[in-house]
Amino acid sequence: MSQMRKKSSSDGETKPRMSFVNKFLRGSKLRSSEAENRNESNDLKTADSQPSDETQKTATLDTATPLASERELGCQVEQFLQKLGRKAVDTCLDLSNCGLTTADVREMGLVALLPFLPDLETLDISWNDFVGGTLHSVTEQMHLVSKLKSLRLGSCRLTTDDVRALGAALKAIPDLEELTLSWNSKVGGNLPLILQKFQAGSKIRTLELVDCALTSEDGAFVGQLLPMLPSLEVLDLSINRNIGGSLSSIAQGLKSASNLKVLKLQSCGLSQKSVKLLDAAFRHLSELRTLDLSCNKELGGGFEDSPAQVATLERLEVLDLHQCSLTAGDVVSLTQVIPLLSSLHELDLSANKEMGSSSENLLSRLRFLPALKSLLINNCALERETFAALAEASVHLPALEVLSLSWNKCVGGNLTLLLETLKLSTSLQVLRLSSCSLVTEDVALLASVIHTGHLARLQKLDLSYNDSICDAGWAIFCQNVWLLRELTELDISLRPSTFRDCGQWFRHLLCAVTRLPAITDIGMKRWLLPASLEEELKRLDQDRRSSIHFDHGGHQ
């Protein structure tokens, strides 16, 4: 709806919406009016005689000059926002990833803007490298935005002085609910300087400290802090490899975080012992929806004796255990637990190669997770028997939207095991079969499924790194791919070590593209186009209104 649209006032008149400058000036007038009201009683006590004309002129000039100055300031602030392509509203100021310079922060930009947004609730200046070293200019204004609820400072290259200034300023924003400091390495070793101002009963709901170079001491401090954050719902400590040694303190603190819904400890140096420590905390986290323990390679073996309490997480929707070096014993234990998580929506067990020969029972029991929407089993060295168990179970997953089996060689030549799933699935949007040793018969099977009207909701299809498919197979596939009307991304790239000439099937693909309204990206890395096909591709680019990115290997 147009921003110039007018709205009715209480008396039936209409008036245009005010620009930022007008709001800015209105605030100035209100402040002036308040000052005049405060002085009114003093004015009544003055002599009854009227001031001279000269006095009145002087007073007029004195009041006009500040107003003109503030009008000029308002215009400069609006120009600052226009330069960044952003707008300020009463409650939200988003300046993330907009190339703020030091001058933008210190001079006529952010610092000048904050005093005129007293109702501001969200301030995001993430992904601006030059904020580092200048944050004190912003924190000095924090008392003017005391209603702030969300402060995002991710990847700002904060310095130690910035960290110290931020810690001192947090007491001025008692209603803060979200604090994001991720990707600032100077936070590490200095975390208490920031968070020590939090008082018992703090309103913080989200605390994100991803890749902050946190030390073991920082981890211990987090454990001590958690009991003071009764409203905490999201805690992300991912990619802080040194906090594994202080997990006992963190786990103890988690027992007080009964409202926690998201816990992310990806790549935190967790060990087998860590699983036991967390297991003791899980019974206190009945509201937990997301648990991410991925990329902790020393975790393997930890679930063999301590998976029981995971089963108590009845509301868990996301479980990520990819690249955890799960052992056969872990898989046996998880077989007893994962099928009990009836609310599970997303499960990632990728890059655990021991699963290949030991996960048949686990995968077959996934049928008891009817709400499952995303299943990632990439690079698990599946064998034919385990793949067959997965295929059989997937028939009973009607909500499945994402299925990724990439880097499991056993899929090649056995895709027919998934035939019933592909036919029955009405929700599948993403199918990834990269580097699965697919053969011509496999893509012919996939083409037949598409031809009969199945996979109608598919949006992303990855068939890359399957170099054994011959030109005839690609031709059959490309003749039918146009039926995937919602397809946005298709990848048929070759392996990095392989280069091949495109066959006549590429013309079928070009024809299909003209009938795919949503397609935006086609990956064809290392496929070489003859000059004639290169010309056809150029004509297609010229004819279509919306551009499609063909990432191919060039021309012969």
Side-chain angles (χ1 to χ4, degrees):
M1 194 174 293
S2 172
Q3 291 185 355
M4 297 301 295
R5 182 177 177 179
K6 298 180 179 180
K7 59 181 180 179
S8 299
S9 62
S10 58
D11 59 359
E13 297 179 353
T14 59
K15 55 184 179 181
R17 296 172 67 180
M18 284 188 293
S19 69
F20 177 76
V21 171
N22 288 335
K23 288 183 179 180
F24 185 99
L25 292 173
R26 184 180 69 169
S28 299
K29 292 174 181 177
L30 288 173
R31 288 189 296 274
S32 298
S33 177
E34 291 172 356
E36 290 172 2
N37 290 337
R38 285 194 299 269
N39 293 330
E40 186 174 340
S41 59
N42 292 333
D43 292 341
L44 293 174
K45 296 177 182 179
T46 58
D48 289 336
S49 61
Q50 296 295 320
S52 66
D53 292 343
E54 210 47 50
T55 303
Q56 290 182 354
K57 290 180 181 179
T58 302
T60 301
L61 289 173
D62 288 344
T63 56
T65 300
L67 183 60
S69 177
E70 289 187 338
R71 181 183 294 276
E72 181 181 354
L73 182 59
C75 290
Q76 289 176 329
V77 170
E78 189 162 82
Q79 288 173 1
F80 162 73
L81 291 172
Q82 289 176 348
K83 180 186 75 170
L84 300 176
R86 305 298 171 93
K87 294 181 179 180
V89 295
D90 291 339
T91 61
C92 179
L93 180 58
D94 183 358
L95 299 178
S96 63
N97 196 24
C98 63
L100 286 177
T101 66
T102 300
D104 289 332
V105 177
R106 287 179 172 171
E107 298 171 11
M108 286 313 307
L110 185 56
V111 172
L113 187 57
L114 289 182
F116 300 95
L117 293 172
D119 296 320
L120 192 66
E121 294 182 359
T122 298
L123 174 60
D124 188 351
I125 53 177
S126 300
W127 303 100
N128 288 290
D129 289 347
F130 289 100
V131 170
T134 67
L135 192 65
H136 67 278
S137 301
V138 178
T139 57
E140 288 173 355
Q141 307 287 338
M142 284 299 181
H143 64 285
L144 301 175
V145 288
S146 59
K147 297 179 182 179
L148 201 65
K149 293 182 179 180
S150 175
L151 179 58
R152 300 169 190 158
L153 299 169
S155 191
C156 285
R157 293 191 179 182
L158 300 184
T159 66
T160 302
D161 288 340
D162 293 328
V163 168
R164 187 177 290 107
L166 177 61
L170 288 181
K171 62 183 179 182
I173 42 178
D175 293 330
L176 192 66
E177 296 179 358
E178 176 185 356
L179 179 61
T180 298
L181 300 174
S182 299
W183 300 289
N184 287 291
S185 60
K186 293 300 182 181
V187 171
N190 295 303
L191 193 62
L193 294 179
I194 305 174
L195 304 184
Q196 64 185 357
K197 298 296 182 181
F198 284 166
Q199 302 296 320
S202 169
K203 297 181 181 180
I204 284 287
R205 295 189 178 191
T206 298
L207 182 59
E208 296 184 351
L209 300 169
V210 179
D211 198 10
C212 284
L214 299 184
T215 64
S216 181
E217 290 75 16
D218 291 326
F221 174 76
V222 170
Q224 297 167 9
L225 180 68
L226 287 174
M228 302 173 65
L229 309 178
S231 300
L232 191 66
E233 296 181 357
V234 177
L235 177 62
D236 193 347
L237 302 176
S238 298
I239 319 180
N240 288 287
R241 296 171 180 82
N242 295 320
I243 66 172
S246 55
L247 193 70
S248 58
S249 176
I250 295 174
Q252 185 64 33
L254 287 173
K255 294 179 181 179
S256 302
S258 59
N259 289 312
L260 197 66
K261 294 181 179 179
V262 177
L263 176 60
K264 295 186 178 183
L265 297 172
Q266 179 189 40
S267 191
C268 283
L270 305 187
S271 63
Q272 293 182 3
K273 181 181 177 182
S274 302
V275 180
K276 295 180 176 60
L277 293 170
L278 288 172
D279 197 52
F282 287 152
R283 71 183 68 179
H284 303 277
L285 302 179
S286 59
E287 298 295 322
L288 199 65
R289 305 293 201 278
T290 297
L291 177 60
D292 184 355
L293 302 178
S294 62
C295 300
N296 288 287
K297 295 183 179 181
E298 301 300 319
L299 204 66
F303 286 101
E304 292 184 10
D305 301 318
S306 303
Q309 295 304 323
V310 177
T312 65
L313 303 176
E314 297 179 354
R315 300 187 180 184
L316 196 67
E317 298 177 355
V318 179
L319 178 59
D320 191 344
L321 297 174
H322 84 266
Q323 202 171 342
C324 283
S325 300
L326 297 180
T327 64
D330 289 328
V331 174
V332 171
S333 295
L334 291 171
T335 300
Q336 309 301 318
V337 174
I338 290 179
L340 299 177
L341 303 175
S342 58
S343 298
L344 207 60
H345 289 173
E346 300 177 23
L347 176 62
D348 190 349
L349 298 173
S350 299
N352 289 291
K353 295 189 176 182
E354 288 293 323
M355 286 186 57
S357 58
S358 60
S359 60
E360 184 174 348
N361 289 335
L362 171 59
L363 297 179
S364 67
R365 296 188 69 187
L366 294 181
R367 69 182 66 206
F368 300 116
L369 301 176
L372 199 64
K373 294 182 178 181
S374 176
L375 178 58
L376 309 183
I377 312 284
N378 302 312
N379 197 21
C380 284
L382 295 183
E383 299 177 355
R384 192 183 188 282
E385 292 73 17
T386 50
F387 177 48
L390 171 62
E392 184 179 352
S394 63
V395 175
H396 304 280
L397 303 177
L400 198 62
E401 297 178 357
V402 179
L403 177 60
S404 187
L405 300 172
S406 295
W407 302 92
N408 288 292
K409 307 303 182 184
C410 71
V411 177
N414 293 303
L415 193 62
T416 184
L417 295 173
L418 270 181
L419 181 59
E420 289 303 310
T421 298
L422 298 178
K423 284 184 176 181
L424 295 174
S425 175
T426 58
S427 302
L428 197 64
Q429 298 176 22
V430 179
L431 178 60
R432 301 193 185 279
L433 300 172
S434 176
S435 194
C436 283
S437 296
L438 298 183
V439 295
T440 299
E441 291 76 12
D442 293 322
V443 291
L445 175 71
L446 187 58
S448 69
V449 171
I450 296 171
H451 181 74
T452 52
H454 301 292
L455 300 178
R457 295 194 60 192
L458 201 64
Q459 297 176 12
K460 298 180 181 181
L461 178 58
D462 186 356
L463 302 175
S464 62
Y465 295 7
N466 288 291
D467 298 355
S468 298
I469 301 170
C470 68
D471 284 358
W474 287 124
I476 296 171
F477 172 77
C478 292
Q479 287 171 353
N480 290 278
V481 72
W482 68 272
L483 292 165
L484 301 177
R485 304 291 289 175
E486 296 186 19
L487 195 67
T488 61
E489 297 179 17
L490 171 66
D491 196 345
I492 57 174
S493 298
L494 297 172
R495 292 179 179 278
S497 59
T498 305
F499 286 84
R500 277 171 60 183
D501 297 337
C502 279
Q504 292 303 310
W505 57 264
F506 184 69
R507 285 195 169 91
H508 295 304
L509 180 59
L510 289 180
C511 181
V513 164
T514 63
R515 306 170 74 177
L516 292 173
I519 194 74
T520 59
D521 194 1
I522 298 180
M524 294 183 57
K525 291 179 179 178
R526 290 166 290 281
W527 284 104
L528 301 175
L529 300 181
S532 59
L533 294 180
E534 183 82 13
E535 288 300 320
E536 292 188 34
L537 179 58
K538 288 180 180 179
R539 284 196 296 273
L540 177 67
D541 288 340
Q542 293 171 355
D543 293 341
R544 283 185 63 97
R545 296 177 182 176
S546 58
S547 61
I548 302 174
H549 180 222
F550 272 87
D551 188 4
H552 59 85
H555 56 81
Q556 295 175 1

